[in-house]
Amino acid sequence: WREKEKQDVLEQILTQLSLTELYYISLLLMIRRYRDFISELSPDIAVKILSYLPPCQILECSKVSSTWNKICTYDSLWRLKCIERKAIIEPNLELPMLEHFKRSVFLHRNWNECKCKIYGVTETSSKQ
């Protein structure tokens, strides 16, 4: 069939449908037109867009799909969040940036809520 013939047949069918049936078709078309724009972007651009969100919203976005989850755990994204928050990045720990961010948030929260302990430093003598 040529394109014009297809359109004519569709028009004939659509004119015979009730409003409820047309509404149903419009819902189907909306679902079909939906696009996951983040998944279609390059990782650098997706990270740039997500970097404008607060950390709690980034974590919520990670629940959308496996693709979003992967993007939301990129080190480059969490490195930006660590810099924004002035988080402590411990170079001797081989952790993903998200874990550095979490550790810094917990440390800051515990410090502010006085949930910390003071340990005394004792000197050990190697002299005998």
Side-chain angles (χ1 to χ4, degrees):
W1 290 21
R2 290 186 293 236
E3 199 61 35
K4 178 67 173 136
E5 293 172 326
K6 288 181 190 178
Q7 289 174 357
D8 289 341
V9 169
L10 280 173
E11 186 177 345
Q12 289 173 2
I13 293 170
L14 290 173
T15 56
Q16 301 299 313
L17 297 177
S18 69
L19 287 177
T20 306
E21 293 164 332
L22 288 171
Y23 178 73
Y24 176 73
I25 289 174
S26 71
L27 289 177
L28 291 176
L29 291 172
M30 280 194 316
I31 291 168
R32 186 166 181 185
R33 290 186 60 201
Y34 169 77
R35 294 190 185 262
D36 180 1
F37 70 95
I38 290 286
S39 301
E40 294 179 10
L41 297 173
S42 73
D44 291 340
I45 294 173
V47 164
K48 180 69 173 172
I49 291 169
L50 291 171
S51 72
Y52 290 103
L53 297 175
C56 58
Q57 289 182 357
I58 294 171
L59 295 174
E60 287 298 312
C61 288
S62 71
K63 299 174 186 176
V64 170
S65 69
S66 58
T67 304
W68 281 47
N69 183 276
K70 182 179 176 185
I71 294 168
C72 289
T73 57
Y74 280 169
D75 265 6
S76 56
L77 176 59
W78 289 102
R79 183 176 303 279
L80 291 170
K81 292 298 162 188
C82 284
I83 292 167
E84 276 179 20
R85 192 174 178 94
K86 297 179 176 79
I88 299 166
I89 300 172
E90 301 173 50
N92 56 338
L93 293 178
E94 297 287 327
L95 294 174
M97 281 295 138
L98 175 56
E99 293 305 315
H100 284 288
F101 183 85
K102 286 180 185 177
R103 289 169 65 105
S104 181
V105 167
F106 292 137
L107 177 66
H108 184 73
R109 184 181 302 146
N110 288 342
W111 185 264
N112 286 337
E113 294 174 4
C114 297
K115 293 181 181 176
C116 52
K117 293 181 182 178
I118 299 173
Y119 293 96
V121 178
T122 59
E123 183 179 333
T124 58
S125 173
S126 60
K127 299 177 188 176
Q128 292 191 16

CSV table of all heavy atoms in Angstrom, one decimal, residues 12 16 44 46 90 116:
chain,number,residue,atom,x,y,z
A,12,GLN,N,-10.9,6.5,7.6
A,12,GLN,CA,-12.2,5.8,7.5
A,12,GLN,C,-12.4,5.0,8.8
A,12,GLN,O,-13.6,5.1,9.4
A,12,GLN,CB,-12.3,4.8,6.4
A,12,GLN,CG,-12.4,5.5,5.0
A,12,GLN,CD,-12.3,4.5,3.9
A,12,GLN,OE1,-12.2,3.3,4.1
A,12,GLN,NE2,-12.3,5.0,2.6
A,16,GLN,N,-15.2,6.1,12.4
A,16,GLN,CA,-16.2,5.2,12.9
A,16,GLN,C,-16.1,4.9,14.4
A,16,GLN,O,-17.0,4.3,14.9
A,16,GLN,CB,-16.1,3.8,12.1
A,16,GLN,CG,-16.3,3.9,10.6
A,16,GLN,CD,-17.6,4.5,10.2
A,16,GLN,OE1,-18.6,4.0,10.7
A,16,GLN,NE2,-17.6,5.5,9.3
A,44,ASP,N,28.4,11.9,28.9
A,44,ASP,CA,28.9,13.2,29.4
A,44,ASP,C,27.7,14.2,29.5
A,44,ASP,O,27.6,15.0,30.5
A,44,ASP,CB,29.9,13.8,28.5
A,44,ASP,CG,31.2,13.0,28.5
A,44,ASP,OD1,31.4,12.3,29.5
A,44,ASP,OD2,32.0,13.2,27.5
A,46,ALA,N,24.4,13.5,29.7
A,46,ALA,CA,23.5,12.9,30.8
A,46,ALA,C,24.0,13.3,32.1
A,46,ALA,O,23.2,13.7,33.0
A,46,ALA,CB,23.4,11.4,30.6
A,90,GLU,N,39.1,10.2,50.3
A,90,GLU,CA,40.3,9.6,50.8
A,90,GLU,C,41.1,8.8,49.7
A,90,GLU,O,40.6,7.8,49.2
A,90,GLU,CB,39.9,8.6,51.9
A,90,GLU,CG,39.1,9.3,53.1
A,90,GLU,CD,38.6,8.3,54.1
A,90,GLU,OE1,39.3,7.5,54.5
A,90,GLU,OE2,37.4,8.4,54.3
A,116,CYS,N,29.7,11.2,67.9
A,116,CYS,CA,31.1,10.8,67.6
A,116,CYS,C,31.7,10.5,68.9
A,116,CYS,O,31.3,10.9,70.0
A,116,CYS,CB,31.8,12.0,66.9
A,116,CYS,SG,31.6,13.6,67.6
